[in-house]
Amino acid sequence: MYMKLIKHRAKTLSANKQKKMAFAGITNANMFLITLLLLSLSSIPLSSSTIQQDFVMCLVDNSDASFPMDSSFFTRDLNASSFKQALETSAQNLRYLMPSKPKPEFIFEPLYETHVQAAVVCAKKLRLHLRLRSGGHDYEGLSYVSEMETAFVIVDLSKLRQINVDLESNTAWIHAGASIGEVYYRIQEKSKVHGFPAGLCTSLGIGGHIIGGAYGSMMRKFGLGADNVLDARIVDAKGKILNRAAMGEDVFWAIRGGGGGSFGVILAWKIKLVPVPDVVTVFTVTKTLEQDGTRILYKWQQVADKLDENLFIRAIIQPASKTPKSKERTISVSYQGQFLGDAKRLLQVMQRSFPQLGLKKKDCLETSWIKSVMYIAGFPSTAPPEALLAGKSLFKNYFKAKSDYVEKPIPIEGLEGLWKKLLEEDSPLTIWNPYGGMMAKIPETETPFPHRSGTLFKIQWLTLWQDGKASEAKHMEWMRNMYSYMEKYVSKNPRSAYVNYRDLDLGMNGRGTDAREWGNKYFKGNFERLVKIKAKFDPENFFRHEQSIPTKFK
């Protein structure tokens, strides 16, 4: 009986339907693959296969472009190895790939914008919960795991990666599945004196990156990536494609920093290119506690946001061996800098503003803007710019992350207490990114991203481990204890956090709590406006996850 049902479903493509598919470019071969997929699903338990069959048939009904089933649709029941690869290839946090974590019913990788429209229409029709993924960097796995919905599917945008650079207008249209490294490469492919102020990690998917703000090494000069967006294309909960004019200024405001997965599916951004010089200088200088590292970092806190806006110096802090052969550990602070100019001028700026670091000519590397991006991202000096096209993250660990913003320098005693905390943990890492410059000039209500004037620097906290569940509790406890220790030294009322460093410890939807508990930490006073826009634009809360913008506070 069940086999007859499957065969009947496979034959539902009537003569008129076949004409429609032929007109849309769906070939006989692809029709055969669709039919074969539906027949193959007969071996799967009824509930799972019915969901998958219905979705495939709905896609065909609602899409005007063909899709190769074997490379667009992945289910663990039919092609387990391909499903595993599709699920894991871009996921960074291995905590959310463990067997105990929920897995999607299937993964769909659209080839065209019309596929995304159809996926939204079909998910809504079939009451399937969507998770949207462009780069897979979500720290809490929210783009590929759902613990609040039992049946969910992933729409992975990684094949929508077209980039069109227009130097005449100093703009580019970039599709959501492209990595920021690809964007940088395509810009420099056409011009050595144009760039874009976005991420330091070049494998970030541009869709989710910009919707959370998108900070980078040129933010003190030009602001965030989101501050340099001119237009966007988004699929709303009705399956319609909207540009800036069609979505309206409220929604356009909301998607430039309001976080992913709340308002729709970002298809593409229109970005404003910024000028970069022929020569950019980079450097890394490392100091340990034994080299007066604590006092140098204290001074960095006082000057980092006030330096020449062409200069970005971040501090990368972690335990290190005191000597190459020693098991005794100390704290090292690596000052990694990018200066939009030559080494001579950089040294003048440093001598005037931060001589304590002791930067010398031999520490400086003069290079192009694109090579400076690669330097900060950790590529070998011999790697060609084409390496940016790989778009894959090499960072795969079990980890927990948090974030903070600092408005007053952390005193010496506070730093010394932090060193003790870091030395208690196996593999902690903290990265401090300076603000000031353009970041202090843009009002905090200009976009949902509110961390502007008054912010000295942002802190990213990380702890990493390799043995999965075995030591997870230990490392999570250390992170929470360290976070508690730092409370008196960071921003207050609220204790702010960066939305693209998701932290579910701050609170979640669906727990009966007031969403302002976590929403105000990410967005400050902008959260109320985001909730109002959400309630009007997506009143049924179709686009949702554990920390999506809700339609009401409780």
Side-chain angles (χ1 to χ4, degrees):
M1 178 66 185
Y2 183 56
M3 191 62 183
K4 287 181 181 179
L5 175 64
I6 297 294
K7 288 180 178 179
H8 173 72
R9 297 177 66 83
K11 290 177 181 178
T12 56
L13 299 175
S14 64
N16 288 337
K17 179 63 182 175
Q18 292 183 30
K19 287 178 183 177
K20 175 187 173 185
M21 292 173 70
F23 177 77
I26 299 182
T27 65
N28 288 335
N30 204 35
M31 276 190 59
F32 173 75
L33 284 172
I34 294 170
T35 304
L36 184 63
L37 176 67
L38 291 173
L39 291 171
S40 301
L41 290 169
S42 63
S43 62
I44 302 170
L46 181 59
S47 59
S48 290
S49 75
T50 302
I51 290 172
Q52 294 161 13
Q53 294 162 32
D54 287 347
F55 192 83
V56 170
M57 294 303 298
C58 185
L59 284 177
V60 173
D61 283 334
N62 289 278
S63 176
D64 289 331
S66 65
F67 49 93
M69 296 300 301
D70 56 341
S71 59
S72 297
F73 192 85
F74 303 93
T75 167
R76 54 188 158 175
D77 299 304
L78 291 181
N79 44 5
S81 61
S82 297
F83 174 84
K84 187 174 187 292
Q85 183 179 9
L87 178 63
E88 297 180 0
T89 185
S90 64
Q92 279 198 311
N93 196 340
L94 299 181
R95 283 172 52 214
Y96 291 99
L97 293 178
M98 289 191 289
S100 60
K101 293 297 181 180
K103 301 297 184 290
E105 296 291 321
F106 52 84
I107 301 168
F108 178 53
E109 296 183 356
L111 292 177
Y112 304 101
E113 292 183 349
T114 184
H115 293 165
V116 181
Q117 291 179 273
V120 170
V121 168
C122 295
K124 193 169 187 179
K125 178 180 178 181
L126 300 172
R127 298 185 178 181
L128 288 173
H129 178 55
L130 283 188
R131 289 292 157 123
L132 310 171
R133 183 169 73 177
S134 58
H137 281 241
D138 192 289
Y139 277 12
E140 297 281 20
L142 300 186
S143 61
Y144 52 94
V145 172
S146 172
E147 301 200 51
M148 63 185 286
E149 310 275 351
T150 53
F152 71 99
V153 300
I154 295 173
V155 174
D156 185 308
L157 304 172
S158 58
K159 290 176 180 172
L160 294 175
R161 54 197 323 126
Q162 187 176 1
I163 299 166
N164 295 311
V165 177
D166 181 7
L167 294 182
E168 271 193 36
S169 62
N170 286 326
T171 64
W173 272 103
I174 54 179
H175 275 76
S179 70
I180 189 58
E182 289 177 271
V183 174
Y184 294 155
Y185 178 84
R186 296 304 176 195
I187 294 171
Q188 71 86 42
E189 189 178 38
K190 289 198 171 184
S191 169
K192 309 303 180 190
V193 292
H194 288 78
F196 183 64
L200 308 172
C201 174
T202 56
S203 61
L204 289 164
I206 199 68
H209 181 45
I210 289 180
I211 205 169
Y215 80 89
S217 57
M218 294 199 296
M219 68 181 189
R220 302 190 64 253
K221 177 74 172 180
F222 299 110
L224 304 171
D227 297 327
N228 291 274
V229 168
L230 302 172
D231 203 343
R233 289 169 61 80
I234 183 174
V235 177
D236 70 4
K238 297 176 183 177
K240 294 181 179 179
I241 295 179
L242 309 175
N243 62 10
R244 178 175 182 173
M247 73 180 78
E249 288 302 303
D250 276 348
V251 177
F252 185 65
W253 176 85
I255 62 174
R256 290 176 296 138
S262 291
F263 296 96
V265 186
I266 297 295
L267 295 174
W269 303 102
K270 185 181 183 182
I271 60 171
K272 178 176 65 178
L273 306 183
V274 301
V276 296
D278 289 317
V279 177
V280 176
T281 306
V282 291
F283 64 86
T284 302
V285 173
T286 299
K287 301 291 185 181
T288 65
L289 300 187
E290 292 71 29
Q291 296 169 310
D292 208 18
T294 302
R295 292 195 178 278
I296 294 172
L297 185 63
Y298 181 66
K299 181 63 177 178
W300 174 89
Q301 295 182 85
Q302 296 172 310
V303 303
D305 70 308
K306 302 173 186 67
L307 295 170
D308 186 310
E309 64 182 15
N310 292 291
L311 177 57
F312 172 93
I313 306 176
R314 66 173 178 169
I316 303 170
I317 306 167
Q318 58 193 326
S321 297
K322 283 191 175 182
T323 65
K325 295 183 179 180
S326 171
K327 290 186 178 180
E328 192 175 359
R329 299 200 302 172
T330 184
I331 297 295
S332 76
V333 183
S334 293
Y335 296 89
Q336 188 180 65
Q338 180 196 62
F339 180 69
L340 301 175
D342 60 30
K344 180 179 179 181
R345 184 158 166 252
L346 167 62
L347 290 168
Q348 291 171 348
V349 170
M350 291 294 288
Q351 184 57 39
R352 181 173 65 250
S353 303
F354 191 21
Q356 292 82 359
L357 186 60
L359 185 69
K360 302 288 191 288
K361 179 72 168 71
K362 65 179 177 61
D363 301 317
C364 301
L365 173 64
E366 293 183 334
T367 187
S368 63
W369 171 73
I370 195 70
K371 291 293 282 185
S372 77
V373 166
M374 297 179 72
Y375 175 92
I376 291 175
F379 284 88
S381 59
T382 55
E386 287 72 20
L388 292 168
L389 298 176
K392 298 297 182 185
S393 174
L394 300 178
F395 180 90
K396 286 186 180 290
N397 292 277
Y398 298 91
F399 71 88
K400 174 62 183 175
K402 288 181 174 289
S403 61
D404 269 311
Y405 286 88
V406 176
E407 297 170 346
K408 296 179 180 178
I410 301 168
I412 294 290
E413 60 269 25
L415 295 175
E416 290 174 341
L418 176 59
W419 306 154
K420 292 177 183 177
K421 291 287 184 184
L422 293 176
L423 290 170
E424 292 172 358
E425 180 64 340
D426 298 334
S427 297
L429 173 69
T430 179
I431 303 174
W432 298 8
N433 290 286
Y435 276 50
M438 181 58 74
M439 291 298 292
K441 299 173 187 175
I442 299 173
E444 67 176 43
T445 56
E446 185 74 14
T447 70
F449 183 97
H451 316 293
R452 306 287 189 170
S453 179
T455 298
L456 302 182
F457 57 95
K458 172 175 62 63
I459 298 179
Q460 177 178 192
W461 305 106
L462 287 161
T463 181
L464 305 89
W465 63 96
Q466 294 296 323
D467 59 352
K469 198 72 177 176
S471 64
E472 178 178 310
K474 165 192 161 186
H475 298 295
M476 298 288 275
E477 182 182 10
W478 174 85
M479 174 62 84
R480 289 161 183 157
N481 287 339
M482 186 280 305
Y483 188 72
S484 177
Y485 165 78
M486 288 299 298
E487 183 173 9
K488 61 184 174 182
Y489 300 118
V490 297
S491 60
K492 298 172 179 63
N493 301 315
R495 182 177 183 176
S496 296
Y498 178 38
V499 69
N500 267 3
Y501 294 159
R502 289 281 183 195
D503 180 8
L504 295 183
D505 287 353
L506 302 181
M508 286 186 278
N509 290 318
R511 297 292 175 91
T513 57
D514 192 320
R516 282 171 287 206
E517 289 183 12
W518 55 266
N520 287 347
K521 291 179 171 64
Y522 290 136
F523 306 110
K524 296 187 180 179
N526 293 331
F527 186 59
E528 292 202 17
R529 183 179 175 190
L530 284 168
V531 171
K532 289 177 182 177
I533 295 169
K534 169 73 172 183
K536 184 176 180 181
F537 189 67
D538 180 18
E540 296 178 5
N541 200 24
F542 176 75
F543 295 106
R544 63 190 182 276
H545 56 70
E546 287 79 354
Q547 280 189 348
S548 59
I549 304 300
T551 57
K552 53 187 178 181
F553 295 119
K554 291 187 179 181

